[in-house]
Amino acid sequence: MTRACARQPLRRWREATADEHGSAIVEFIFAATILLIPMIYLVLAAAALEGGSYAVVSAADQAAKVFAVAENPAQARSNAQAAADRAIANFGFSGSNTTISCNSECLSPGSVVTVTVSLDVPLPFVSDYISASAFAVDATAAQRIDRFG
Protein backbone atom coordinates (compact mmCIF):
# COMPACT_ATOMS: atom_id res chain seq x y z
CA MET A 1 0.00 0.00 0.00
CA THR A 2 1.40 3.32 -0.97
CA ARG A 3 1.41 6.48 1.07
CA ALA A 4 -1.17 8.12 -1.16
CA CYS A 5 -3.59 5.26 -0.56
CA ALA A 6 -3.01 5.44 3.18
CA ARG A 7 -3.82 9.17 3.25
CA GLN A 8 -7.00 8.84 1.24
CA PRO A 9 -9.29 7.87 4.19
CA LEU A 10 -7.87 10.73 6.21
CA ARG A 11 -8.49 13.17 3.36
CA ARG A 12 -12.06 11.91 2.92
CA TRP A 13 -12.72 12.32 6.66
CA ARG A 14 -11.36 15.89 6.62
CA GLU A 15 -13.50 16.77 3.62
CA ALA A 16 -16.61 15.28 5.24
CA THR A 17 -16.12 17.17 8.50
CA ALA A 18 -15.02 20.47 6.95
CA ASP A 19 -18.59 21.74 6.63
CA GLU A 20 -19.20 21.14 10.37
CA HIS A 21 -16.40 23.44 11.47
CA GLY A 22 -17.63 25.59 14.39
CA SER A 23 -20.87 23.69 14.95
CA ALA A 24 -19.72 22.36 18.34
CA ILE A 25 -19.64 25.91 19.69
CA VAL A 26 -23.16 26.58 18.46
CA GLU A 27 -24.41 23.33 19.99
CA PHE A 28 -22.70 24.12 23.29
CA ILE A 29 -24.22 27.60 23.46
CA PHE A 30 -27.68 26.24 22.66
CA ALA A 31 -27.45 23.41 25.21
CA ALA A 32 -25.96 25.67 27.88
CA THR A 33 -28.75 28.20 27.41
CA ILE A 34 -31.43 25.53 27.64
CA LEU A 35 -29.88 24.08 30.81
CA LEU A 36 -28.57 27.18 32.59
CA ILE A 37 -31.62 29.44 32.44
CA PRO A 38 -33.84 27.08 34.47
CA MET A 39 -30.96 26.40 36.86
CA ILE A 40 -30.41 30.12 37.47
CA TYR A 41 -34.14 30.66 38.00
CA LEU A 42 -34.21 27.79 40.49
CA VAL A 43 -31.40 29.42 42.46
CA LEU A 44 -33.21 32.78 42.44
CA ALA A 45 -36.45 31.16 43.62
CA ALA A 46 -34.60 29.35 46.42
CA ALA A 47 -32.98 32.63 47.47
CA ALA A 48 -36.38 34.35 47.58
CA LEU A 49 -37.78 31.51 49.69
CA GLU A 50 -34.84 31.70 52.10
CA GLY A 51 -35.20 35.48 52.37
CA GLY A 52 -38.91 35.11 53.10
CA SER A 53 -38.16 32.53 55.78
CA TYR A 54 -35.68 34.83 57.49
CA ALA A 55 -38.14 37.73 57.22
CA VAL A 56 -41.01 35.96 59.00
CA VAL A 57 -38.75 34.62 61.77
CA SER A 58 -37.36 38.08 62.40
CA ALA A 59 -40.80 39.72 62.22
CA ALA A 60 -42.42 37.27 64.66
CA ASP A 61 -39.55 37.58 67.15
CA GLN A 62 -39.48 41.37 67.07
CA ALA A 63 -43.27 41.70 67.27
CA ALA A 64 -43.44 39.43 70.33
CA LYS A 65 -40.71 41.42 72.10
CA VAL A 66 -42.35 44.76 71.27
CA PHE A 67 -45.74 43.49 72.46
CA ALA A 68 -44.31 42.37 75.80
CA VAL A 69 -42.90 45.78 76.74
CA ALA A 70 -45.95 47.93 75.84
CA GLU A 71 -48.04 49.83 78.39
CA ASN A 72 -51.55 48.71 77.35
CA PRO A 73 -53.00 46.00 75.04
CA ALA A 74 -54.17 48.41 72.31
CA GLN A 75 -50.76 50.04 72.08
CA ALA A 76 -49.11 46.62 72.27
CA ARG A 77 -51.05 45.30 69.26
CA SER A 78 -50.38 48.44 67.24
CA ASN A 79 -46.66 48.45 68.06
CA ALA A 80 -46.30 44.71 67.39
CA GLN A 81 -48.03 45.02 63.99
CA ALA A 82 -45.79 47.96 63.08
CA ALA A 83 -42.66 46.06 64.17
CA ALA A 84 -43.66 43.01 62.10
CA ASP A 85 -44.39 45.14 59.03
CA ARG A 86 -41.08 46.96 59.41
CA ALA A 87 -39.12 43.70 59.75
CA ILE A 88 -40.81 42.25 56.66
CA ALA A 89 -40.11 45.47 54.71
CA ASN A 90 -36.44 45.36 55.73
CA PHE A 91 -36.14 42.10 53.79
CA GLY A 92 -37.87 43.62 50.75
CA PHE A 93 -41.26 41.93 51.14
CA SER A 94 -44.75 43.23 51.85
CA GLY A 95 -48.21 41.85 52.50
CA SER A 96 -47.62 39.73 55.58
CA ASN A 97 -50.35 38.55 57.95
CA THR A 98 -49.74 38.90 61.68
CA THR A 99 -51.77 37.07 64.32
CA ILE A 100 -51.36 37.91 68.01
CA SER A 101 -52.79 35.84 70.85
CA CYS A 102 -52.35 35.70 74.61
CA ASN A 103 -52.80 32.65 76.85
CA SER A 104 -54.60 34.73 79.49
CA GLU A 105 -55.29 38.45 79.86
CA CYS A 106 -52.84 40.27 77.59
CA LEU A 107 -49.98 42.03 79.38
CA SER A 108 -50.84 40.52 82.76
CA PRO A 109 -47.72 39.41 84.66
CA GLY A 110 -46.70 35.86 83.74
CA SER A 111 -48.91 35.62 80.63
CA VAL A 112 -47.44 34.52 77.33
CA VAL A 113 -48.03 36.35 74.06
CA THR A 114 -47.72 34.36 70.84
CA VAL A 115 -47.17 36.09 67.50
CA THR A 116 -47.51 34.28 64.18
CA VAL A 117 -46.40 35.96 60.97
CA SER A 118 -47.17 34.44 57.57
CA LEU A 119 -46.02 35.59 54.15
CA ASP A 120 -46.63 34.54 50.56
CA VAL A 121 -43.21 34.74 48.93
CA PRO A 122 -43.51 36.03 45.36
CA LEU A 123 -41.86 34.23 42.46
CA PRO A 124 -38.90 36.13 41.01
CA PHE A 125 -39.74 38.12 37.83
CA VAL A 126 -43.16 36.43 37.45
CA SER A 127 -44.85 38.25 40.34
CA ASP A 128 -44.02 41.62 38.78
CA TYR A 129 -46.65 40.96 36.10
CA ILE A 130 -49.14 38.58 37.70
CA SER A 131 -49.98 37.79 41.30
CA ALA A 132 -48.19 34.47 41.68
CA SER A 133 -46.74 32.87 44.77
CA ALA A 134 -45.53 29.31 45.00
CA PHE A 135 -44.27 29.59 48.56
CA ALA A 136 -46.04 30.37 51.81
CA VAL A 137 -43.85 30.65 54.90
CA ASP A 138 -44.76 31.35 58.50
CA ALA A 139 -43.08 31.64 61.88
CA THR A 140 -44.28 31.76 65.46
CA ALA A 141 -42.61 33.43 68.44
CA ALA A 142 -43.69 33.50 72.08
CA GLN A 143 -42.70 35.97 74.77
CA ARG A 144 -43.49 35.80 78.49
CA ILE A 145 -44.60 39.03 80.15
CA ASP A 146 -42.41 39.91 83.14
CA ARG A 147 -43.95 39.13 86.51
CA PHE A 148 -42.55 42.16 88.27
CA GLY A 149 -42.61 44.75 85.47
Side-chain angles (χ1 to χ4, degrees):
M1 197 162 166
T2 65
R3 284 185 136 181
C5 291
R7 290 184 185 168
Q8 229 172 16
L10 181 61
R11 186 174 301 140
R12 273 189 252 152
W13 179 77
R14 283 184 186 162
E15 289 171 358
T17 59
D19 60 341
E20 294 183 17
H21 184 71
S23 66
I25 293 172
V26 173
E27 290 174 7
F28 173 77
I29 290 172
F30 180 72
T33 302
I34 296 295
L35 295 174
L36 285 178
I37 289 176
M39 186 82 94
I40 291 170
Y41 189 79
L42 181 65
V43 169
L44 290 174
L49 176 63
E50 191 69 21
S53 297
Y54 284 134
V56 294
V57 168
S58 174
D61 185 48
Q62 292 302 316
K65 289 176 181 177
V66 167
F67 190 96
V69 297
E71 297 295 323
N72 59 51
Q75 179 190 15
R77 286 189 186 278
S78 174
N79 290 351
Q81 182 66 45
D85 290 342
R86 195 172 315 114
I88 292 290
N90 284 342
F91 282 89
F93 296 104
S94 63
S96 64
N97 296 322
T98 305
T99 306
I100 302 169
S101 62
C102 301
N103 68 342
S104 62
E105 184 182 339
C106 285
L107 296 180
S108 63
S111 68
V112 176
V113 61
T114 304
V115 177
T116 302
V117 178
S118 60
L119 174 70
D120 289 332
V121 179
L123 291 171
F125 306 120
V126 175
S127 296
D128 294 340
Y129 304 106
I130 59 172
S131 179
S133 173
F135 313 112
V137 293
D138 63 357
T140 302
Q143 184 73 33
R144 182 174 301 276
I145 308 300
D146 289 340
R147 290 186 183 265
F148 305 107

